[in-house]
Amino acid sequence: MAFQTPQRPLPGAFFNTPAPSRYPPSRQPVFTAGGGQSRNPSSSQDGQQPLAPLRDSQSLQPIQRAARTINEVLQREANFPDLDSYVRQGISSDYELPSETTEPAWAPFQKTKSYDLPDRIYEQYNNGNLATKMGLFADLSHAWVCIDNCFYLWDYTSPNPDIIGYEEQPHGITAVKLIKPRKGVFVDSINHLIVIATTQTIILLGAAVTTEGSGIKRVALYDTKMDLHIKGLNVEVIEGSADTGRIFFAGTADNDLYEFTYQQEEKWFANRTGKINHTSPGYTALVPQLWGAKSHEHVKEIVVDDSRRLVYTLSNESSIRTFHMDTATTLCQVIEKKRHEMLRDISHMISSSVLLTAKMEVKSISPISGSEGSKLHLMATTTTGCRLFLSATRGYGYISSSGNAPQSMQVQHIKFPPLLEPRPPGNPAYQGVEPPIEISSNALSQTEEGLRFPPGFFFCFVRKTPGDQRHHLFLSAPDTGRIAAEARSVTAQATRFYEQGCWVPLGGNAQAVGLVTPPFGASRQPLGFGNELAVQYDEQPTDVAILTNSGVHIIRRRRLVDIFAAAIRGGGGDDGLENEVKKFIRQYGRGETTATALAVACGQGNDVVPGDPRLARISDPETLKLARKAFVEYGGRPSLNENLVSEGPMHAIENVRPSSRHEGIAMYMGRLVRSLWKTLVITETISPNGAVAISSPITANKLISIQDELTKLANFLEDNSSFIEGLAGPESLQNVASQQEQIALQGEHQALHSLQRLNSSIIEGISFVQMLFDERVDEIWKTLDDAVKQRLRELTFELLFSTDQGKDLAKVLVKSIVNRNIASGSNVDTVADALRRRCGTFCSADDVIIFKAQEQLKKASETGISQDMVRNLLHESLRLFQQVASALSLENLQSAVDQFSALQFYAGAISLTLLVAKESDRGNTALNWVNDNKPEHDTRISAFNFRKQCYELVHRVLVAVDDAAAREPETIDGRATLIATKRSEAHTVVNDSEDELFHFDLYEWYLHQGWIDRLLAVDSPFVVEFLTRSAATSVERADLLWRFYVHREQFYEAATVQLDLAKSEFQITLADRIGYLSRSKANASAQSRGVGRQARQMLLYEVSELLDVANLQDELLHRLRADPRVPDERRPQIVQKLDSQVLNLTELYNDYADQASYFDLCLMIYECADHRNEADISATWQQLLDNTHMKVAEDQNAGQLPYEAVVTMVKDMADRLNHSESTFNPSIIIPMIERYAIENQNGVGSRHWIPDLFISVGMPFEVIINVIQGMWYNNLAPFTERRKGILAEHILHVCEEWYDECLRTNTIVYGSDDNALEIQDLLEQLRQTEADAEVRDRLIQLRRKIAQARGRV
């Protein structure tokens, strides 16, 4: 069994669920892809390498996807193998000879017409005395006969031709040749020369060939008075070079090659005509031959290869000489290949063959041009019918250019004749096992002449028996379809030289053979040159004329489409159709078969009707029906590559490989349009006087022909859509058996629909080109600007058919056509209707409305119209433009806006532009892209860019209206002027717009212009959103936001923005942040509409807290910046850290304040952080007190005493700590100061500076007394024994001050009677323990005062 790659799951698809399929089971291959496979082209899937699946094409438009498919087809056909790849070194005998009885439809050639010799020729022939010769000028459709000394020429295609004679010379004619003359020698009307060789002279006759409208060629002969004396040479062979006009000839008298030189006038050292011997120098002819017999070798054939500038000669002894035309006048022999040398080359490829012996004779040679092959140069035909393909080399490689002469030649390949009897029908020669190479067939053993025409048509004239009086013609040609199929096959190992052959009866002796049609060439290089399939619908089939003694016979190379049409017509109806189609699929692949069937169904097949010599299209309904059936039923089915499916059904469609029907349609379309696909639409020609002429490189008849065939294809697909999978519509999905089939069918529909769209686009595009050249295209060219002209010069049909750029350029040309007709007085409706009928895509209904709107604009700009009429025309134009806003291109919009602005219709210009921007992006994807932070490589970018361009037009209009308004006053006599009104209308349209993206763009433009005041004055809800979003991007935008709020007295919102700014990560200095916080505090304190008191208080609290921290950080910053203890290398880091965002208190304390011993700031941090740990607070106060004392004590220049510094410090801290209960706690500070005074400042200063300090910093009297009283009671060191008197005196002093304060304020003594009583008791206790008499007297005196005061109360 075959192993399969595990499938990846597809959401919604159940690949492993059994389900009945509507398709019959496909035949499984014997080997998997990893094993060996047959070399038969059908070993791959139907012998065809299908086009690529739809993967990675979802982003393309249908027409673009189809154009890519056409390019793939054309590229694949351009890669058809070159001749050297299948005619390689070795031998072969691969022929397919269809039976004349059972397979006549498969014959590769066909006799299409026969023309009898005129009776007058027979009469002249019977009257002749000496000799006759006959020949053809096939490319001119003329035949000739020489009877004695007379030359007669006639059109063999005419039923009653005129005989043109030349009888003015007396000698017998030995040879005649038609050549191209050298340029500049004769007048332009002489486009051919007839070279006539007689026994005495060579004569040049001028031939003026003209072609009439029906295709008939007329020949007129002129005597050029040019001849050359050749007596004794017996010239029988003449050949000319088409590129250079050089004439070469040879005779039976010697083996030399001569050239007939001719020029317009005689010169000093040269006559008008002359003879040059290129083989032997002039003096050798005078040297007598002393030894040996005279050689009878002579030249019997001359051929010229202009592509390589080579001349070949064949002698009667089978020697081939090669000459190189190294200059325009010289010729040198470079190679001579004798018969025995060719036999030696052959012996390296085959040991022996009865067909190639020492008696081998080469009967004829045919050149192979450089365009056809890079290695092979020549084909030689032997008497036994073997074809020898010879290659020429120079040193180490093959010849790549005509400038290099070859140095050696060898036999590269031998093609042996076919079998005498063809293989039985139904048994193809190349299937499975390779047949042996036949090297002994006598089928062509009596060959008299063999000719080769590009790309490999072989005409072999044979006499089947020695006494046979008639020639039998064997024809063969490369089996192009099979070679192409094998080349496309993935498993192809080597391309073989497949040929098809047949026998055609002549009924007489062949006298001459010539090409009627131009030489075949599908390309100008070896790769792709021989692809007959690619040009079978695009170029005329190759016709070859053969002149016999009974008349002229036309042999036509049959196209594959003709073979298919004849095969299915003669196959026996539906039963025989299957056999023929299967044979085609087996040999050429399913894709080629469906393409051919489609072509026949569209009427492409040709055939000769029995009894009617005319070639006609096959149009019988039965054949067309069979072709349609073959296309529909044998076109395969789409397939889904399940191994690539991973992201759901929509992405699964990308992995669908379309059916062969899709490939067939693509191949047929590609072959129809191949000649124009990459061709420029116009050709610009500049005459010497500077006039410019515009023409089409493709003829009108060719365009019409291609359009007709594509129209037939479109009709066929439309008529049969219900039978074709992928075109049948949604109802076909009802018959699917699994989701794989459904996805495959959807992918098939997308592929076929794309080709249909492209086909319609091509048909309309051709109509557009035809209409363009029907107009005065030269005048239209003059109206285009230089940029459009350059685009038009570079425009190809492919771009016109399949790209938006091409469509846009076409619409520009349509507009020019319409404008030209309008200018000439034509009605726009008439012109537009004509355009719509012929090319609706390029001129839609919307385009017609645009033209009408432009017409109204043009009328409005004309002079002599009233203002009311101008206003009406402008509004009508605006209304029409608004109807088609979704279809209006940027170019048309810009033109309309400019004209509106020029007519001062500013409001209309702005409203139209905004509408176009809105209609271009109805889903508002551009705004969503902006809201998503503008991701890169997003599909929405294009929508944003277009809208951006529209908004820029609005900016231009606003600048224009502002400039116009600035030049005039706003009011006159208290009334607004007209321009002021228009400016107001324009800005009203702008402000009333609901386009959020436009407003954002407008405000950005305002800021870019520096119009900040205008932005702040805008009254629109969008400006708040814009400024809010912008505030997150820069400080300046955030400043604008809070200024906007202040401008509108929305103080709460302004305070919020300022707070956010202070807290932001922007590069803002600490001073600026403090400034924002200060403003925020002020704005939060102000009344704001719609904001409650609680919200304001909460905001105010947050701002105040952060402001306190910021002030602390600012003080830290200033101290550390000036602190000499900070190392210089660390100072910038510290400054940068502190002079930025507001840090948290923990970081300020731990990293800066504490480490720097800024104890006052530490206390302030405690206060801000509401830190109530008394131990920390006490320790910090102690450190601050010690630090303050030490600074003054150690500084001799302090200017104050330590206790004075302490007093100053405590007063300062009282204010800075706001007399906090926690950080400025009297129970901590009073004992600390008392101890400090005893220990460090005992006896210094006034006696009462300590209690005075406490009173001065606002400590309550009662608290001071209680704290000191506690110290006095507790006997805490150092206040023991006598030192307790200090505390007693301090208590007394505070009581005295409190008493005096009560008297001054006229309040109750000590606040209450109870307090007074307690103080009396305290004073009594102090008196009893006090040793100092003065203090006791004061205690007593104060007690009396208290008693008196209580008594009074």
Side-chain angles (χ1 to χ4, degrees), residues 835-851:
L835 286 167
R836 286 189 61 194
R837 285 195 307 271
R838 299 184 64 176
C839 43
T841 303
F842 302 96
C843 183
S844 61
D846 291 340
D847 294 328
V848 175
I849 296 176
I850 292 173
F851 294 147

Side-chain angles (χ1 to χ4, degrees), residues 137-379:
F137 301 153
D139 52 343
L140 304 183
S141 300
H142 279 63
W144 59 267
V145 63
C146 295
I147 303 173
D148 298 335
N149 65 323
C150 301
F151 172 76
Y152 299 105
L153 184 68
W154 75 96
D155 181 359
Y156 60 77
T157 63
S158 175
N160 188 22
D162 295 329
I163 306 298
I164 304 172
Y166 177 71
E167 304 172 345
E168 282 74 15
Q169 60 88 28
H171 308 293
I173 298 175
T174 58
V176 176
K177 188 67 178 182
L178 180 73
I179 68 167
K180 287 281 189 180
R182 181 182 294 131
K183 295 180 181 179
V185 177
F186 304 100
V187 295
D188 293 340
S189 59
I190 304 297
N191 45 26
H192 290 80
L193 287 179
I194 298 176
V195 185
I196 299 176
T198 70
T199 56
Q200 302 294 323
T201 60
I202 294 180
I203 302 169
L204 297 185
L205 292 180
V209 181
T210 58
T211 304
E212 298 182 352
S214 58
I216 298 175
K217 291 182 171 60
R218 301 294 184 187
V219 179
L221 300 182
Y222 298 92
D223 189 355
T224 64
K225 305 300 181 181
M226 291 185 179
D227 56 20
L228 179 69
H229 184 69
I230 55 167
K231 183 178 180 180
L233 290 181
N234 192 20
V235 175
E236 291 187 352
V237 184
I238 304 173
E239 189 57 68
S241 169
D243 288 353
T244 64
R246 299 175 70 174
I247 303 172
F248 304 102
F249 63 92
T252 59
D254 53 35
N255 196 31
D256 295 341
L257 177 65
Y258 298 90
E259 181 177 357
F260 185 148
T261 63
Y262 58 97
Q263 58 189 9
Q264 189 175 16
E265 297 177 353
E266 290 187 4
K267 297 182 180 180
W268 284 100
F269 301 103
N271 297 323
R272 293 184 67 194
T273 61
K275 179 183 67 174
I276 300 176
N277 187 335
H278 289 294
T279 306
S280 302
Y283 62 84
T284 58
L286 303 176
V287 179
Q289 186 173 4
L290 301 178
W291 295 280
K294 181 181 179 180
S295 173
H296 296 286
E297 184 177 11
H298 63 271
V299 176
K300 69 175 184 178
E301 187 175 5
I302 304 173
V303 294
V304 176
D305 180 5
D306 280 316
S307 66
R308 293 188 174 96
R309 291 160 53 180
L310 297 178
V311 180
Y312 305 99
T313 65
L314 173 65
S315 74
N316 60 332
E317 295 184 2
S318 299
S319 292
I320 299 174
R321 288 183 296 178
T322 304
F323 298 82
H324 182 245
M325 294 184 284
D326 46 357
T327 68
T329 58
T330 59
L331 186 75
C332 61
Q333 179 178 330
V334 292
I335 301 173
E336 182 174 8
K337 190 75 173 179
K338 295 184 177 295
R339 176 170 53 190
H340 70 273
E341 295 175 352
M342 286 187 280
L343 288 172
R344 184 177 58 202
D345 294 342
I346 292 171
S347 66
H348 289 287
M349 291 183 281
I350 184 172
S351 58
S352 65
S353 172
V354 296
L355 303 181
L356 298 172
T357 64
K359 297 181 180 181
M360 178 193 76
E361 181 182 348
V362 177
K363 296 296 293 185
S364 59
I365 57 177
S366 298
I368 299 174
S369 70
S371 299
E372 193 172 355
S374 58
K375 298 180 181 179
L376 299 178
H377 283 55
L378 195 69
M379 187 197 80

Side-chain angles (χ1 to χ4, degrees), residues 396-427:
Y396 53 84
Y398 294 95
I399 308 303
S400 59
S401 66
S402 60
N404 298 322
Q407 296 176 338
S408 63
M409 179 176 285
Q410 67 175 6
V411 178
Q412 184 83 7
H413 185 89
I414 305 172
K415 185 74 173 185
F416 286 94
L419 293 172
L420 284 169
E421 297 296 332
R423 290 183 175 84
N427 295 323

Side-chain angles (χ1 to χ4, degrees), residues 963-1033:
D963 291 345
R967 292 191 293 268
E968 299 181 20
E970 292 189 7
T971 60
I972 297 179
D973 296 335
R975 297 180 61 183
T977 58
L978 180 60
I979 189 62
T981 303
K982 291 182 176 181
R983 182 178 185 276
S984 176
E985 291 174 351
H987 283 278
T988 300
V989 173
V990 168
N991 294 332
D992 290 346
S993 172
E994 296 181 357
D995 188 344
E996 182 177 353
L997 188 62
F998 163 67
H999 281 281
F1000 287 0
D1001 181 81
L1002 179 68
Y1003 304 148
E1004 287 283 0
W1005 181 63
Y1006 281 168
L1007 295 176
H1008 182 72
Q1009 298 296 321
W1011 297 340
I1012 296 176
D1013 293 338
R1014 178 180 291 190
L1015 174 62
L1016 297 179
V1018 171
D1019 186 11
S1020 170
F1022 297 112
V1023 71
V1024 179
E1025 180 67 20
F1026 168 76
L1027 291 175
T1028 302
R1029 292 188 182 184
S1030 300
T1033 61

